[in-house]
Amino acid sequence: MKVEQDLEEIKERLAHIETKLEQKSTSSKILKYMVIIFLSIFFLLLVIGVVQFVSNPIGIKN
């Protein structure tokens, strides 16, 4: 009886730990995608700024 009770308690703990691990992996995926999107937008704006600067140099009049 004691062994069965211990086994049931271990199963419950394992299920609880698995749930926590799934939650952590989901939140880390969301954070990873947010960082990728932020960096993509940043570099896109940087490239647009460089192109505008190069296409219209300072001091040269058309």
Side-chain angles (χ1 to χ4, degrees):
M1 182 120 163
K2 175 77 172 155
V3 175
E4 291 175 8
Q5 197 174 25
D6 289 341
L7 184 60
E8 192 63 35
E9 184 178 329
I10 291 172
K11 286 181 181 179
E12 289 176 8
R13 287 183 179 182
L14 182 59
H16 183 68
I17 291 172
E18 287 175 344
T19 304
K20 281 187 175 183
L21 285 175
E22 287 176 5
Q23 289 174 350
K24 286 183 181 180
S25 67
T26 302
S27 62
S28 66
K29 286 180 183 179
I30 292 172
L31 181 63
K32 179 181 163 184
Y33 287 128
M34 287 176 62
V35 169
I36 290 172
I37 290 170
F38 175 77
L39 289 175
S40 300
I41 292 172
F42 174 77
F43 284 115
L44 178 66
L45 293 175
L46 182 69
V47 168
I48 290 172
V50 169
V51 168
Q52 286 183 346
F53 180 76
V54 169
S55 67
N56 191 11
I58 298 173
I60 298 177
K61 296 181 180 178
N62 291 335

